[in-house]
Amino acid sequence: MIRFAYRAFVVTAVCVALFLVATQATSFRGSVNSSGTAVVDVDKLCKGYVAKNVRKSGDSLTAELRLIGDGCGVYGKDIKTLRLEVQYQEKSRLHVKIIDATSTRYEVPESVFPRPKPHGTSSHSSSLEFCLTESPFSFSVVRKSCGEVLFSTDSYSLVFENQYIRVKTSLPAHANIYGLGEHTEPLRLPIEGSGIVRTLWSRDSYGIPRGTNLYGNHPVYFDHRKSGTHGVFVLNSNGMDIKLNTTTHPKTRKKISTIEYNILGGVLDFYFFSGPDPTAVAQQYAQVVGLPAMMPYWGFGFHQCRYGYRDWIDVAEVVANYSIAKIPLETMWTDIDYMYNRWVFTLDPERFPIDRVREIVDLLHSRDQHYIVMVDPAVAHQDYPTFNRGVHDDIWLKEADGSLHKGVVWPGVTVFPDWFHKNIQTFWTDEFKRFFNPKTGIDIDGVWIDMNEPASFCPYPCADPEAAAIEQGMPPVRLPPRDPPRPIPGFPDTYPGAATRMIKRAAAPAPIALSSSVSPRTRASSSQAKTPLYHEKDEDLISPPYSIANAVENGLSDRTVHTDIVHANGLSEYDTHNLYGHMMSIATFYAMSARRPGKRPFIITRSTFAGAGTHVGKWLGDNLSTWEQYRFQIAGMLNFAAIYQIPMVGSDTCGFGNNATEELCARWAMLGAFNPFYRNHNQDNAKSQEFFLWQSVTKAAKTAIGARYKLLDYLYTAFHQQHTDGTPVLNPLFFIYPKDAYTYPIDLQFFYGQNILVSPVTQEGATSVTAYFPDDVFYDFFTHEKLVGRGANVTISDVNITEIPVHIRGGAILPLRLAVDEDGEVAMTTTELRKRDFELVIAPGKNGKAEGMLYIDDGESIEQKKGDVTEIEFSYQYGRLKVKGTVSKNAGREVNVRRVVVLGLGEVKRKSLNGLKVEVDVKVQKITLNKEGGWTLLAGMDIELFQGVDA
């Protein structure tokens, strides 16, 4: 064994035990995998490789890997010679890459996933050590501080074939593994018993069922141990099965865990992150995939949508009803209902006439509210401007004979943009500028992109998409146009006796179906190679020898773009399928940036890949109105925010499919307020679920939004920190308490930021919740009562459906906006909210100290002007509050504090507190201090709040 670094001789007992278990692993055997592919004993049949010509320098190692014998050919041709490249890129990051030594293979393009610039560090300075065994080749990654093996392929054969790569590692028994999404599974992946297979292949997955591949692909996991946390990321966009299992060592009879990658192509491109704690791993991963984009302040408000708003009247009435109910609505959304026959970049001239839509948008903007619509990638194969411009620009995906590749989506027969085409960004930006022109079109504030796996309703082989569209009723039949049935506040001409403005209904344009055969006007010239790059002619790109567990009936190409399609740059859909939604996100980001220069784009997508958070946010897809999915949304958003670095995330509040009950919607309205992205959305054949439809849900929503808006600057500050350094805006409990083993499986509680513990009721009919409180001090967010955690469960009773248990972690200072006025009404918009003063809530920890942060900028600009940002840190000890940092003098950036509330204190010994008005609550143990005119905080302030208190 070659050790490519100095290794400490002193190894702790716990690390030694883990090392021995991890390196004495055996392979798992089964009979048939979940997709029907026969499972072979790879380690018995395949001998792997031998390492030759090992060369090392200060920060790198290279070696030649030669196939032992003739190989095994389990799922194709073995690559005879490989190249190993190892680089210590940072103290905490190790890069290990295995490629074909003689031929170039597909890798994720640099234009799609920019590689991090390594600073280079010597192997001696690294926290990690790469260890190499020459024959048969295997490698391990070791934590130097204690010699613990983090990743080891020892005892497992490396298989590297033209359409199949297999690598396997052993882990300690009962491993705590998180990530490998997108999925609807517990936060800590269930590897006990029969284990689990995580399949990565983007799929339109209505109902987000457990045990299946979903919309996005994030081949990264965090392995959390008491000795530390590390992360492993494989940069590969090919379809893959990642098998996690528990097995028994045949000699010691000790249990071990294993992770096995089965990949349909590409290369092995591993990044290892040393941590040593979960937050550090998150930060290190962010340096590779990219730091998340900062979102506009208004994007953290409450959003409302529905698939099935019949017409502009429905949309206008929803806006009005939220206003009447005094539920703050920040942004109104419209699904594909606004389109003519579901054709993107069109309006239905009868149901959503342009002047009425513009009237809605103008009304929203006049009230400091916002408007968002959906845009899908699939474009109707019809004679209309967007399709025709795409033909002219040659940007549609094509078959090998040059004809357009077609599927079936909401408009019926459709074509799909080729995001690799040289003209695609110009085309996409132009469509946005045309249709969303502020003066002549729809002046949207953000955009929602969907169906970008890409989804198609046409089962493979989709030989007759026209017939399939007719059979499936695409586009769907719509209800007839109508006039407003009643007056709508905000729309004066809908009232009786008003001078009614007659809307001239345009005649519906007659759709012109385009033949799939030889129309010279519509057939673009083929600009792609017939044989894709990096593949031989005899390779099967439709049904490769190894079948991943894709949860559809007809293989990789079922209900999506076919995998033998070749892009304009020669890459195959087989290799790049999992990048489609990610590339649409990038193109849309630049289109929105061009439309609104200098302003942060607000984009929510469905399909994601590693690094998507640098451009977009994510909603958790087409969930159902069930208690199970209400619960699973917590793990879903924690995965995206804390692990995948896509922090603007949330579920469809109250559920998308099925009918939400009043109780479920009330509970979800409360929980949704603690999602970074907060939107109520459901589908057309379900009952409406806007918050104002139930009295209890109205009350729950007002309470929840009131709490959210109080905390909005706290959330915005935490989000900015993740944008700056990758520190998660949402945290599983084990991120905050990494040494507490009881926190490792918890996924029904979470930290909002790092200091707000949310413990929702999660069972139907329940009015209590049993929550875990670590060994720390906490304070009820709403009542301020103190709770001393003992590292045990606590049952919180009498939690009605308009309440949610929320606690402040001791040691925090929270800058809270005075979002709720004296009458109990909440600021109706984030613009109004930003004009309000703060209160500082000081929640001392066990040591009597507390600290906090506050970040304020203009809320929308990508680049902030010099002197336009307030960024301050608070600290509290012994009755003194200190402020340091930068405070902008510009309007809207000042920090006016009306009152200070100090929790966990008894009666003040001295009543004369520097002229402050004092309110002492002995029962709750808190002191509220008010100052005439409040405090306008400045950097360097040192405020003596009081002297001498009974803690």
Side-chain angles (χ1 to χ4, degrees), residues 479-546:
L479 293 172
R482 59 174 177 158
D483 291 318
R486 57 195 148 261
I488 307 174
F491 296 83
D493 62 350
T494 63
Y495 281 79
T500 304
R501 174 165 55 87
M502 300 300 293
I503 302 299
K504 183 179 179 181
R505 289 187 179 141
I512 303 173
L514 298 175
S515 168
S516 61
S517 57
V518 226
S519 170
R521 183 177 64 81
T522 62
R523 178 187 286 180
S525 60
S526 177
S527 61
Q528 72 262 40
K530 293 182 180 180
T531 301
L533 294 173
Y534 315 123
H535 290 281
E536 298 177 6
K537 290 184 178 181
D538 62 347
E539 292 182 19
D540 191 341
L541 301 187
I542 295 294
S543 300
Y546 178 88

Side-chain angles (χ1 to χ4, degrees), residues 82 98 146 181 246 325 462 567 650 653 701 731 750 800 803 905 938 950:
L82 304 175
I98 301 176
C146 67
T246 297
C462 195
H567 291 268
T653 298
N731 290 273
F750 61 95
N800 66 45
E803 297 175 333
L905 298 182
L938 300 173
D950 292 332

Side-chain angles (χ1 to χ4, degrees), residues 218-409:
H218 298 273
V220 59
Y221 71 82
F222 287 20
D223 182 345
H224 181 65
R225 310 176 187 181
K226 277 196 172 182
S227 56
T229 312
H230 69 274
V232 180
F233 170 53
V234 58
L235 178 53
N236 185 301
S237 66
N238 287 84
M240 66 181 75
D241 284 338
I242 305 173
K243 301 178 181 180
L244 296 87
N245 225 300
T246 297
T247 187
T248 303
H249 190 276
K251 295 180 180 179
T252 65
R253 307 311 299 169
K254 291 183 178 179
K255 284 188 176 181
I256 60 167
S257 303
T258 60
I259 295 181
E260 177 182 315
Y261 295 85
N262 298 266
I263 310 174
L264 297 183
V267 301
L268 290 176
D269 194 356
F270 281 106
Y271 291 87
F272 296 91
F273 311 103
S274 67
D277 58 67
T279 299
V281 176
Q283 294 168 337
Q284 291 153 16
Y285 179 65
Q287 293 300 321
V288 171
V289 300
L291 292 164
M294 190 61 192
M295 295 291 169
Y297 190 90
W298 62 262
F300 296 94
F302 168 66
H303 305 254
Q304 175 62 50
C305 188
R306 174 177 168 84
Y307 171 42
Y309 286 136
R310 177 176 175 177
D311 48 26
W312 72 271
I313 299 166
D314 271 359
V315 176
E317 288 191 335
V318 168
V319 172
N321 284 328
Y322 269 105
S323 179
I324 293 168
K326 295 185 178 180
I327 301 174
L329 172 65
E330 185 71 20
T331 306
M332 189 67 203
W333 295 47
T334 307
D335 208 308
I336 56 176
D337 306 289
Y338 74 90
M339 303 174 188
Y340 170 75
N341 273 353
R342 310 306 198 243
W343 299 2
V344 294
F345 301 115
T346 69
L347 281 174
D348 186 305
E350 297 184 297
R351 297 165 184 83
F352 288 87
I354 181 63
D355 53 349
R356 283 300 195 186
V357 176
R358 287 180 58 82
E359 189 176 2
I360 291 171
V361 176
D362 289 345
L363 176 68
L364 290 168
H365 287 172
S366 72
R367 297 175 176 177
D368 296 318
Q369 294 169 293
H370 302 85
Y371 188 60
I372 287 176
V373 299
M374 175 184 281
V375 173
D376 288 342
V379 172
H381 190 266
Q382 301 285 352
D383 186 7
Y384 84 108
T386 296
F387 173 80
N388 292 334
R389 284 191 288 265
V391 170
H392 178 270
D393 290 346
D394 189 27
I395 53 87
W396 306 127
L397 288 173
K398 302 187 194 74
E399 302 285 349
D401 65 359
S403 62
L404 300 182
H405 175 71
K406 294 188 292 184
V408 176
V409 195

Side-chain angles (χ1 to χ4, degrees), residues 86-90 92-96 126 128-130 140-141 270-273:
V86 179
Q87 185 179 32
Y88 291 92
Q89 295 190 333
E90 305 280 351
S92 60
R93 185 172 81 227
L94 175 68
H95 186 213
V96 178
S126 175
L128 299 173
E129 178 183 358
F130 180 85
S140 60
V141 177
F270 281 106
Y271 291 87
F272 296 91
F273 311 103

Side-chain angles (χ1 to χ4, degrees), residues 680-692:
N680 182 336
H681 177 55
N682 73 324
Q683 74 178 99
D684 56 346
N685 59 7
K687 293 180 181 178
S688 296
Q689 62 186 35
E690 287 82 6
F691 290 159
F692 53 73

